Amino acid sequence: MIEGLTGVVLAGGKSRRFGSNKALADWGCATLLETVVSSLAAVVPKVLVVTKEKGPFASLERGEVRVIEDLFRQDHPLGGLYTGLQGLKTRHAFVCACDMPLIEPKLIEALWEARADYDAVIPLWQGKRQTLCGIYSKDCAGMIRAAIDHDALGIHKLFDSLKTRFFLEEETKRADPQGRSFMDIDTAEDYARVKKASAC
């Protein structure tokens, strides 16, 4: 258990391409969101779920899990990221999306070990920055708020300002050889593909 780290799950998207609220989609004997929350709760002592409407997810709340409403109504991840960081009682958060059911605990642990004094630790996979599967310091909140206020809503632009440790792909592979942590679900086809890849 990583005592200095809180899990933050972003569950405020509109799921347009999926066709329904994917956070509530079945995943074995649970929902997709419940599966992600349980995965994080096995590694960190507290998990925050950030959503636009608390009602559909209120049943998730228990000692180690809290559901909070996004401070921003716009449909972009920066608002959820800012809201999650504002809700922290620890200095760092592992941030992921609610549609990533195969997150590897060893990856979270490896990113945590690499945090040093960085604002963010972001894994690289197949040449891409996995911005919604990384560790962020609470110190990032001010820069994120400034980006939102200036309508600079692209999350990748953040890293021009943040002191970031990009976790190289060879490092990532040591913790998650197949990159299962980054298998997210945007469409019904993704859902079928990731389900097949899982043990679910």
Side-chain angles (χ1 to χ4, degrees):
M1 191 67 68
I2 305 173
E3 294 295 334
L5 187 64
T6 300
V8 173
V9 184
L10 305 184
K14 294 188 181 299
S15 304
R16 291 186 188 91
R17 287 189 285 165
F18 192 73
S20 61
N21 191 337
K22 59 187 173 184
L24 301 175
D26 289 335
W27 196 264
C29 57
T31 65
L32 200 52
L33 176 56
E34 287 168 343
T35 300
V36 175
V37 168
S38 294
S39 294
L40 297 194
V43 185
V44 299
K46 300 287 183 183
V47 179
L48 294 178
V49 176
V50 182
T51 183
K52 299 295 187 192
E53 302 292 339
K54 187 173 178 178
F57 309 106
S59 62
L60 276 174
E61 292 201 309
R62 52 185 187 268
E64 71 274 20
V65 181
R66 189 157 59 97
V67 180
I68 59 176
E69 289 193 359
D70 196 333
L71 296 170
F72 298 86
R73 304 312 298 170
Q74 302 97 320
D75 187 23
H76 57 76
L78 285 188
L81 179 54
Y82 176 80
T83 300
L85 293 178
Q86 287 294 97
L88 292 184
K89 293 182 180 178
T90 57
R91 186 182 172 197
H92 293 88
F94 173 77
V95 178
C96 67
C98 69
D99 61 352
M100 306 173 80
L102 305 183
I103 288 173
E104 174 55 59
K106 288 181 181 178
L107 177 65
I108 300 174
E109 292 166 357
L111 296 175
W112 171 252
E113 290 298 323
R115 74 194 182 283
D117 62 345
Y118 291 100
D119 295 321
V121 185
I122 303 298
L124 302 177
W125 186 255
Q126 296 182 346
K128 295 181 180 178
R129 297 172 176 179
Q130 302 298 322
T131 57
L132 294 186
C133 190
I135 286 180
Y136 290 83
S137 164
K138 195 169 184 173
D139 298 340
C140 299
M143 282 180 263
I144 294 170
R145 181 59 193 254
I148 294 170
D149 289 345
H150 288 87
D151 207 30
L153 302 179
I155 194 168
H156 289 276
K157 293 179 182 177
L158 265 186
F159 303 104
D160 295 336
S161 304
L162 298 181
K163 184 180 179 183
T164 307
R165 160 78 150 92
F166 290 110
F167 209 60
L168 301 178
E169 190 156 337
E170 54 265 34
E171 296 176 293
T172 301
K173 283 182 176 178
R174 287 199 285 270
D176 186 356
Q178 297 177 310
R180 286 161 58 91
S181 299
F182 315 118
M183 296 179 74
D184 59 345
I185 296 169
D186 291 321
T187 65
E189 290 76 19
D190 291 338
Y191 178 79
R193 173 178 55 81
V194 178
K195 194 113 176 176
K196 186 176 180 180
S198 77
C200 213

